[in-house]
């Protein structure tokens, strides 16, 4: 089946999709992005992702490339054109193309690129994964979902070379910030769910926010606070969350086995509850 992309108002064959060589996203990483998962044709947490896109654009002073309603229609149309029922939508907005200059261009139209692909969501949610810890070397505005991802690229590659699925980044004080492409969670010995609070230090994951709402609805006790690597080693359970991983148990951190080395009861419960949310259970 042919695969299309959407570039600046046009549906084009994916293999020929392109932007200008002086696009500021290419030259300066001057842009933002979102990834929205799709399950059975339904865009999961769509409004949350678009709200975060709006915030990221505002923080970088980039204009919306089109009306929000148009963007929603284009995403659905592209999914239909590409026959994607389970997978993801990737959308990226940059400041646009202009002669290379660090300063904002006086007149440049934002570039909008949207692609889709089929994917198996949360493939390790029932079996669990291993993570490793690495120093957090990113800039100070991690709350903005920019396309400047070189530290995460290096971290993800290091994790792969060490035989792990993900890397958890650690700040200068020994506290876990988040994964290279996920938020980090632990369950304490007395059953409290813990994740780092939203601030400039982490990306406030849309899935993270939904999990907190699900946990509250389930009557689970949770704490938004930093936790050290040593506390994670001693946790009853650990898991990571993202738009494509949902709730995925962490069985080992570095060379330490977490809990009994199997997906924990709370992680499994949250995965099932989030899956119901992703499926639209109770949605109007």
């Amino acid at each position: 089946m042919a695969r299309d992309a959407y570039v600046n108002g046009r549906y084009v064959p994916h293999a020929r999709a392109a932007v200008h060589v002086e696009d500021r996203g290419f030259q300066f990483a001057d842009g933002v992005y979102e990834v929205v998962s799709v399950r059975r044709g339904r865009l999961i947490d769509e409004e949350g992702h678009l709200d975060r896109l709006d915030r990221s654009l505002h923080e970088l002073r980039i204009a919306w490339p089109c009306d929000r309603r148009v963007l929603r229609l284009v995403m659905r149309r592209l999914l239909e054109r590409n026959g994607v029922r389970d997978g993801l939508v990737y959308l990226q907005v940059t400041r646009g193309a202009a002669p290379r200059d660090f300063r904002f261009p006086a007149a440049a139209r934002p570039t909008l690129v949207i692609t889709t692909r089929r994917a198996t969501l949360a493939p390790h949610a029932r079996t669990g994964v291993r993570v490793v810890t690495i120093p957090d070397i990113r800039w100070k505005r991690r709350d903005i979902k920019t396309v400047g991802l070189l530290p995460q690229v290096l971290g993800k590659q290091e994790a792969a070379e060490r035989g792990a699925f993900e890397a958890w980044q650690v700040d200068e004080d020994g506290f876990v910030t988040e994964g290279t492409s996920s938020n980090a969670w632990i369950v304490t010995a007395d059953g409290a769910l813990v994740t780092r609070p939203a601030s400039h230090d982490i990306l406030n994951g849309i899935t993270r926010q939904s999990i907190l709402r699900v946990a509250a609805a389930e009557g689970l006790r949770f704490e938004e606070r930093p936790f050290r690597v040593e506390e994670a080693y001693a946790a009853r359970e650990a898991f990571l969350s993202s738009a494509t991983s949902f709730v995925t148990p962490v069985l080992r951190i570095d060379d330490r086995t977490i809990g009994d080395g199997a997906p924990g009861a709370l992680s499994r419960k949250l995965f099932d509850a989030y899956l119901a949310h992703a499926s639209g259970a109770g949605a109007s």
Side-chain angles (χ1 to χ4, degrees):
M1 182 178 182
R3 184 182 177 197
D4 289 339
Y6 182 87
V7 182
N8 291 334
R10 298 177 58 220
Y11 297 97
V12 296
H14 186 274
R16 299 207 302 271
V19 298
H20 195 278
V21 69
E22 288 192 308
D23 189 274
R24 290 177 63 91
F26 172 65
Q27 296 196 331
F28 295 113
D30 188 3
V32 301
Y33 76 101
E34 283 291 335
V35 177
V36 185
S37 291
V38 182
R39 186 169 188 270
R40 298 176 182 173
R42 182 175 186 269
L43 283 81
I44 303 171
D45 291 327
E46 177 185 13
E47 292 307 312
H49 285 284
L50 295 183
D51 286 345
R52 186 171 63 184
L53 175 65
D54 182 68
R55 181 181 183 278
S56 295
L57 290 170
H58 175 77
E59 292 297 308
L60 295 189
R61 289 187 279 169
I62 298 175
W64 268 78
C66 64
D67 186 85
R68 181 166 172 151
R69 292 171 297 177
V70 172
L71 185 57
R72 294 183 63 187
L73 290 171
V74 170
M75 288 193 293
R76 285 164 172 76
R77 180 58 179 150
L78 193 61
L79 288 167
E80 292 173 2
R81 291 173 73 102
N82 292 337
V84 175
R85 294 277 299 165
D86 294 279
L88 57 88
V89 177
Y90 177 89
L91 59 96
Q92 179 170 306
V93 183
T94 76
R95 201 176 303 277
R100 192 177 190 279
D101 188 328
F102 282 93
R103 294 167 296 186
F104 293 174
R109 298 180 60 183
T111 294
L112 171 62
V113 174
I114 307 176
T115 60
T116 69
R117 67 178 173 88
R118 296 184 182 90
T120 300
L121 300 175
H124 306 294
R126 298 298 188 188
T127 56
V129 297
R130 178 181 175 232
V131 304
V132 294
T133 57
I134 61 172
D136 196 334
I137 61 173
R138 298 171 298 163
W139 75 319
K140 298 297 185 180
R141 288 303 307 274
R142 303 156 189 168
D143 56 306
I144 307 171
K145 197 171 178 69
T146 75
V147 296
L149 297 172
L150 185 56
Q152 291 91 320
V153 168
L154 295 173
K156 189 73 81 172
Q157 180 63 26
E158 181 177 342
E161 291 173 356
R162 293 169 62 183
F165 175 77
E166 173 65 299
W168 278 6
Q169 298 163 110
V170 181
D171 68 20
E172 294 177 350
D173 297 317
F175 291 99
V176 175
T177 50
E178 59 189 334
T180 62
S181 60
S182 61
N183 289 119
W185 307 70
I186 61 171
V187 179
T188 64
D190 62 353
L193 182 64
V194 179
T195 192
R196 191 168 180 129
S199 68
H200 288 180
D201 293 331
I202 69 166
L203 182 69
N204 190 7
I206 302 305
T207 304
R208 172 193 179 278
Q209 296 173 46
S210 290
I211 290 170
L212 288 174
R213 288 192 292 269
V214 165
E218 293 286 329
L220 301 175
R221 181 163 58 94
F222 60 85
E223 303 169 5
E224 292 185 83
R225 62 169 175 80
F227 59 86
R228 295 183 182 273
V229 175
E230 291 75 16
E231 185 178 6
Y233 288 157
R236 178 191 296 180
E237 300 179 37
F239 64 89
L240 57 85
S241 66
S242 73
T244 55
S245 293
F246 295 0
V247 176
T248 294
V250 172
L251 308 187
R252 290 179 65 82
I253 301 174
D254 297 325
D255 60 350
R256 305 294 186 89
T257 298
I258 306 305
D260 61 3
L266 185 55
S267 300
R268 296 196 305 270
K269 179 176 183 177
L270 279 171
F271 173 77
D272 290 338
Y274 181 78
L275 193 63
H277 161 78
S279 301
S284 58

